[in-house]
Amino acid sequence: MSKNISERLKCRRQTTKNSAAYFNIDSGTGRARGLGVFGPAETSAILRDIVAPFTEYGIAGAVSGKNRGLGGSDHTSFNNAGLPGIGVMQDPIEYGTHTWHTNLDTYERIVEDDVKKSAVIVAAAVYALAMRDELLPRFKKEEMPKPVVEQ
């Protein structure tokens, strides 16, 4: 593992001790449809309860995962540090075919209603987690999946 990556992970591990979670919503304009969270099943159960009032906006709930791999999305490096990284699953619209990392990814392509509803869902979830007395459940030390190390 390169020193740069090792130092970043060390810094993130220090940052994550008192952090509830890391939210990532960056797949274009599509409406939020679900949450994928790194953590045990009770972690996604809490998030499902939090977003349940917003089913009329099209969000289906939350699922837990164990992947600590890097890449694919910005929240994965936080997963690797042990923090519940929450990836917001969105309608793809043109993201994977036209706008992803291109000069076509501009505000003219925003679907205003989708962005407004997604913002409400994410803001409510962030607020609910910030107001909890406890952090989101995390994997116990003996259950923590092994981190993925870049070569």
Side-chain angles (χ1 to χ4, degrees), residues 37-89:
V37 60
F38 174 75
E42 54 269 28
T43 304
S44 59
I46 290 166
L47 288 168
R48 272 193 300 279
D49 289 344
I50 289 170
V51 300
F54 303 100
T55 56
E56 67 191 49
Y57 283 5
I59 191 148
V63 295
S64 292
K66 296 182 177 184
N67 186 350
R68 291 180 84 184
L70 296 172
S73 187
D74 297 328
H75 68 283
T76 58
S77 59
F78 290 90
N79 295 354
N80 208 335
L83 181 72
I86 301 169
V88 180
M89 296 172 262

